[in-house]
Amino acid sequence: MTSSILDSVDISTLTDNEKILYEYLKSNLKNIIYLSLQDICDELYISNATIVRFCQKIGYKGFNEFKFQIRQDLYSKNQHTSLIPKRNSILKDFVLSLDEEFIMKCIEMIQSDQPIYIYGRNMASLPARYLFSMLRAMRYQCICIDWLDFLQSLSEKFPKNAVLFAFTNYGRKDTYEKIIKNCKQRNVHIVWISSEDIDEELQNATDLYLCTHEERLDDVNLRTHMNSFVFIQILIDTLKQKS
């Protein structure tokens, strides 16, 4: 049950404000999934930093990841949870977590006049094709790739300074290591949009990374990619404003 997330916390390591937060979370666990970071700050008169620091102490990168785990655990226990507030909460969390600087860097890459490649296979091909269609409609020249083998072969021939948008469920080293090596040699700039965190050994300072925390469906290899579509729409809307 989700309460185990908090039951295992060593209260002696918490500050006074973190203890207040801890008690609040335990008492309102089922409601937390519908609250934003600011909602809790206003309720408890504590800072965003206090909440983020607390989440990091108990093993999460931040509040959104902590809340994501709570939501997943609650939903797995109760398949009859109302879907509308659940979906609304997921979208709200994701939009609030988006970094405007990240969006602007993506736009700079799109507007750089460098060749644009967009990759996604299986379910990840859906947002990849959507981004491809939107950019083509705005008269940006780009190529969509939905085969991993084709991406690997093409990565050996990418033009210098090309841009690659890579949509994936898992950014695993054993899958992408050779592709990343080829891209580095050709100074290709990669924007990763991944359902889960990219393997740290694949990450470098010149690439961009967005973890969408897409919800798993019945099959562990299936993801909704709802957040990826939201990211694309925000990216396109911002691009239109800047054009």
Side-chain angles (χ1 to χ4, degrees):
M1 176 61 187
T2 315
S3 58
S4 63
I5 295 175
L6 296 175
D7 287 344
S8 61
V9 173
D10 183 357
I11 302 177
S12 66
T13 66
L14 304 180
T15 66
D16 289 343
N17 280 341
E18 288 170 352
K19 289 177 181 177
I20 292 173
L21 174 62
Y22 170 81
E23 294 298 334
Y24 177 81
L25 293 175
K26 287 207 69 172
S27 301
N28 297 276
L29 202 60
K30 292 184 178 180
N31 297 324
I32 293 302
I33 60 175
Y34 305 118
L35 299 178
S36 69
L37 191 67
Q38 194 58 51
D39 291 334
I40 299 176
C41 291
D42 293 342
E43 178 75 18
L44 300 181
Y45 299 100
I46 59 178
S47 67
N48 289 4
T50 297
I51 300 176
V52 172
R53 187 167 54 246
F54 170 83
C55 293
Q56 291 172 342
K57 277 187 177 181
I58 63 174
Y60 298 92
K61 292 183 178 179
F63 179 68
N64 285 330
E65 185 176 285
F66 168 71
K67 189 161 70 167
F68 176 81
Q69 186 59 55
I70 290 177
R71 183 188 297 115
Q72 291 296 97
D73 290 351
L74 284 174
Y75 186 62
S76 67
K77 289 292 184 180
N78 183 9
Q79 294 294 327
H80 302 291
T81 300
S82 177
L83 290 177
I84 293 178
K86 176 175 181 285
R87 294 294 185 194
N88 181 60
S89 178
I90 291 172
L91 286 174
K92 182 179 179 181
D93 287 349
F94 179 70
V95 171
L96 289 173
S97 71
L98 277 177
D99 183 6
E100 185 174 356
E101 183 179 355
F102 179 90
I103 298 290
M104 297 311 299
K105 285 181 178 178
C106 290
I107 290 176
E108 287 176 12
M109 290 184 180
I110 294 171
Q111 295 180 326
S112 66
D113 293 327
Q114 300 297 334
I116 300 172
Y117 298 85
I118 304 171
Y119 164 75
R121 62 173 175 162
N122 300 328
M123 293 294 287
S125 69
L126 299 177
R129 288 186 175 278
Y130 181 58
L131 177 60
F132 169 75
S133 299
M134 294 299 288
L135 291 181
R136 286 296 298 269
M138 297 175 70
R139 302 188 183 281
Y140 287 98
Q141 296 301 313
C142 48
I143 295 175
C144 192
I145 307 163
D146 56 10
W147 289 359
L148 181 63
D149 290 343
F150 183 39
L151 175 64
Q152 183 166 310
S153 175
L154 196 59
S155 68
E156 300 172 359
K157 308 169 186 176
F158 276 139
K160 292 285 187 180
N161 301 312
V163 175
L164 171 63
F165 282 85
F167 291 84
T168 180
N169 283 344
Y170 313 99
R172 290 173 175 166
K173 178 181 176 182
D174 57 351
T175 302
Y176 294 104
E177 185 174 27
K178 189 172 182 179
I179 294 169
I180 295 299
K181 182 179 178 180
N182 292 336
C183 287
K184 284 183 179 179
Q185 290 174 347
R186 309 192 69 79
N187 198 32
V188 174
H189 305 287
I190 306 177
V191 180
W192 291 96
I193 301 96
S194 178
S195 299
E196 295 188 359
D197 287 325
I198 297 292
D199 193 315
E200 290 185 1
E201 294 185 48
L202 296 179
Q203 299 184 25
N204 65 78
T206 60
D207 295 338
L208 299 178
Y209 303 91
L210 176 65
C211 182
T212 56
H213 296 294
E214 303 289 2
E215 183 182 1
R216 294 185 180 186
L217 302 179
D218 293 335
D219 186 317
V220 295
N221 293 315
L222 295 179
R223 303 281 181 145
T224 63
H225 290 283
M226 177 176 64
N227 291 340
S228 296
F229 281 103
V230 171
F231 159 71
I232 293 169
Q233 196 59 57
I234 292 174
L235 177 66
I236 294 299
D237 289 345
T238 307
L239 182 58
K240 287 179 181 178
Q241 290 182 346
K242 299 296 179 181
S243 299

